[in-house]
């Protein structure tokens, strides 16, 4: 029963995510698509195999952390339910319980419990294959949807057949093209591509743990320093220094424009003005942007932020941020020190990349890539998967 529940949860979120990404994002999607997206999220709630929350082999630290994340989410939701001061634009209840960037975004780490089941990886691989097939066909309709699952697809690369690998290559090439030559280039996609490549090379080509430890530690320490420094210093931008070097080398002003630092400054100011650093402003909340007050194309009271860490601060404060990123660090450390297979070592690199990107750009929402990502992290928490050999992982993947 639980295996079937996992399958239905993955299928439901995969296809609702595929539909939503065809229209860009939730805020720009037609009303019917928003409804389908919200209904799909609630279907996942009803179908979720809750037995695994009580019966799993994650260990005490992981279970306490995941339960605490759930409690913080409930607190954030309750605060928004009984407080209408944050209602600025749109429907509060539709956004709170249907927008994947609100309450459900805070719950995404709970997808880790899906990694408990021994059939979770093979099921994920099957559904991801169909997602890549449909995503590749949608390229013909000028819809680019597969770049969002690069985090997941590259992790399965060594264990799939030639057809599957071909689809992964298509998604990689499309992502590279859109990163550099599309009308709206994406620096985040460039970074994701770099981490995807690193997760493969460091786990399967280098075959040593020393560089893995150094790489993961660096990708955790650097963004942590950046976040702490930027939130507490509103007169200096590290990005401006780094991106000026990019401009000198490439001559591309778009790639060299700092579009992140002011978000930190504005979020810090808003949280300070509302005394909301500790618990945030609730699962449904907005922050004031002086920049977008003067800019067209966005509302100055913003429900979303392009930096995931800042989105977490807005929704549930410093306590949630510390808990979320502590969980990531714990999972990375456990995988690097306990894993007997290279698959979970590659997931550790991928997780450090997620840590890095989420501190500087957007991995917002609650969708198929979040489910896949945290399902893989759940495997990193489970001795059942950590103790598997490379041959045993390969046998499971091919079953």
């Amino acid at each position: 029963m639980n295996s079937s529940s996992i399958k239905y949860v993955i299928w439901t979120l995969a296809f609702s995510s595929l539909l939503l990404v065809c229209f860009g994002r939730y805020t720009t999607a037609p009303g019917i698509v928003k409804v389908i997206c919200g209904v799909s999220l609630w279907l996942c709630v009803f179908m979720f195999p809750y037995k695994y929350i009580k019966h799993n082999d994650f260990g005490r630290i992981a279970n306490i952390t995941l339960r605490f994340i759930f409690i913080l989410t409930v607190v954030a939701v309750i605060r928004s339910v009984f407080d209408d001061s944050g209602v600025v634009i749109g429907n509060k209840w539709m956004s709170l319980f249907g927008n994947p960037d609100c309450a459900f975004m805070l719950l995404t780490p709970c997808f880790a419990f899906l990694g408990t089941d021994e059939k979770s990886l093979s099921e994920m691989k099957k559904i991801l294959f169909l997602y890549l097939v449909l995503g590749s066909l949608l390229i013909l309709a000028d819809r680019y949807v597969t770049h969002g699952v690069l985090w997941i697809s590259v992790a399965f690369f060594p264990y799939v057949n030639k057809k599957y690998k071909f689809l992964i290559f298509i998604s990689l090439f499309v992502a590279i093209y859109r990163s550099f030559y599309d009308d709206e280039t994406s620096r985040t996609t460039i970074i994701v591509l770099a981490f995807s490549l690193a997760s493969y090379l460091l786990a399967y080509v280098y075959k040593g743990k020393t560089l893995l430890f150094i790489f993961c530690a660096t990708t955790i320490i650097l963004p942590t320093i950046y976040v702490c420094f930027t939130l507490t210093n509103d007169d200096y931008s590290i990005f401006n220094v780094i991106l000026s070097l990019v401009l000198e080398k490439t001559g591309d002003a778009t790639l060299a424009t700092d579009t992140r630092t002011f978000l930190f400054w504005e979020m810090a100011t808003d949280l300070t003005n509302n005394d909301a650093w500790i618990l945030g402003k609730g699962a449904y909340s907005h922050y004031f942007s002086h920049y977008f007050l003067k800019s067209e194309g966005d509302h100055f009271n913003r429900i979303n932020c392009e930096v995931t860490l800042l989105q977490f601060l807005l929704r549930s404060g410093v306590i949630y941020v510390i808990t979320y990123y502590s969980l990531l660090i714990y999972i990375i450390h456990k995988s690097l020190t306990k894993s007997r297979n290279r698959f979970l070592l590659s997931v550790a690199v991928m997780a450090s990349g997620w840590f890095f990107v989420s501190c500087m750009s957007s991995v917002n929402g609650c969708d198929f890539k979040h489910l896949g990502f945290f399902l893989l992290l759940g495997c990193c928490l489970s001795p059942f998967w950590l103790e598997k050999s490379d041959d045993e992982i390969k046998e499971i993947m091919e079953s």
Side-chain angles (χ1 to χ4, degrees), residues 27-324:
T27 54
T28 59
I32 184 63
V33 174
K34 292 181 180 179
V35 171
I36 293 173
C37 177
V39 170
S40 298
L41 290 171
W42 279 102
L43 282 174
C44 290
V45 170
F46 292 121
M47 294 186 295
F48 196 87
Y50 291 100
K51 180 179 179 180
Y52 289 138
I53 297 177
K54 185 176 181 180
H55 302 286
N56 61 71
D57 58 353
F58 287 176
R60 189 165 178 264
I61 294 176
N63 274 289
I64 290 175
T65 306
L66 287 167
R67 284 170 170 78
F68 190 51
I69 284 175
F70 176 77
I71 292 171
L72 289 174
T73 301
V74 171
V75 170
V77 169
I78 291 175
R79 292 180 65 209
S80 291
V81 166
F82 293 102
D83 181 11
D84 291 331
S85 62
V87 179
V88 178
I89 187 173
N91 184 288
K92 167 185 169 179
W93 303 106
M94 287 287 292
S95 296
L96 176 59
F97 295 115
N99 189 331
D101 291 321
C102 291
F104 282 101
M105 180 176 170
L106 299 175
L107 283 173
T108 52
C110 294
F111 284 130
F113 288 115
L114 299 180
T116 301
D117 193 277
E118 62 182 75
K119 296 182 180 179
S120 60
L121 285 184
S122 57
E123 197 64 49
M124 187 70 201
K125 192 187 78 167
K126 293 175 186 176
I127 298 174
L128 181 59
F129 175 75
L130 185 56
Y131 189 99
L132 291 171
V133 170
L134 296 175
S136 298
L137 292 175
L138 285 169
I139 294 174
L140 301 176
D142 199 30
R143 292 289 185 272
Y144 305 100
V145 303
T146 56
H147 64 280
V149 296
L150 285 175
W151 298 100
I152 317 167
S153 57
V154 174
F156 288 95
F157 186 81
Y159 306 98
V160 296
N161 58 32
K162 292 181 179 180
K163 292 180 180 178
Y164 205 138
K165 288 181 178 178
F166 177 70
L167 292 172
I168 294 174
F169 276 124
I170 289 178
S171 66
L172 288 170
F173 286 136
V174 170
I176 292 171
Y177 170 80
R178 298 197 70 216
S179 297
F180 293 98
Y181 302 109
D182 204 359
D183 292 335
E184 295 185 8
T185 58
S186 173
R187 290 176 299 197
T188 300
T189 303
I190 299 171
I191 298 173
V192 171
L193 287 170
F195 278 110
S196 298
L197 180 61
S199 68
Y200 178 79
L201 294 177
L202 292 175
Y204 295 98
V205 178
Y206 174 68
K207 295 184 178 180
K209 285 194 175 182
T210 302
L211 191 55
L212 274 168
F213 273 100
I214 295 173
F215 184 88
C216 291
T218 302
T219 53
I220 290 171
I221 293 171
L222 288 181
T224 301
I225 294 173
Y226 163 74
V227 167
C228 294
F229 188 86
T230 308
L231 282 172
T232 56
N233 293 270
D234 60 0
D235 57 352
Y236 183 77
S237 170
I238 297 175
F239 264 138
N240 276 338
V241 176
I242 298 174
L243 293 175
S244 64
L245 299 176
V246 174
L247 182 60
E248 290 178 6
K249 298 294 183 180
T250 65
D252 191 329
T254 302
L255 287 176
T257 303
D258 181 3
T259 59
R260 288 296 178 265
T261 302
F262 79 91
L263 296 172
F264 283 80
W265 298 344
E266 290 184 339
M267 185 65 73
T269 300
D270 188 273
L271 294 175
T272 299
N273 291 340
N274 290 278
D275 295 322
W277 279 99
I278 303 300
L279 290 174
K281 298 174 70 176
Y284 172 79
S285 50
H286 297 73
Y287 76 97
F288 176 78
S289 171
H290 184 75
Y291 175 85
F292 286 102
L293 180 65
K294 301 178 180 179
S295 176
E296 296 181 358
D298 206 333
H299 198 275
F300 54 85
N301 278 306
R302 310 189 75 216
I303 192 171
N304 291 325
C305 182
E306 288 80 1
V307 177
T308 297
L309 180 141
L310 298 181
Q311 184 90 330
F312 286 143
L313 279 175
L314 175 66
R315 299 285 188 251
S316 200
V318 171
I319 295 179
Y320 183 93
V321 167
I322 292 175
T323 306
Y324 179 93

Side-chain angles (χ1 to χ4, degrees), residues 328-373:
L328 292 186
I329 293 171
Y330 175 75
I331 290 172
I332 293 168
H333 178 265
K334 190 166 186 177
S335 180
L336 292 179
T337 56
K338 302 293 185 181
S339 177
R340 294 181 58 226
N341 59 78
R342 302 203 170 276
F343 176 72
L344 294 187
L345 292 180
S346 71
V347 173
V349 177
M350 179 188 72
S352 71
W354 186 281
F355 188 109
F356 186 95
V357 172
S358 66
C359 289
M360 300 182 183
S361 192
S362 174
V363 285
N364 292 0
C366 178
D367 56 23
F368 182 51
K369 70 174 179 292
H370 292 87
L371 183 151
F373 174 70

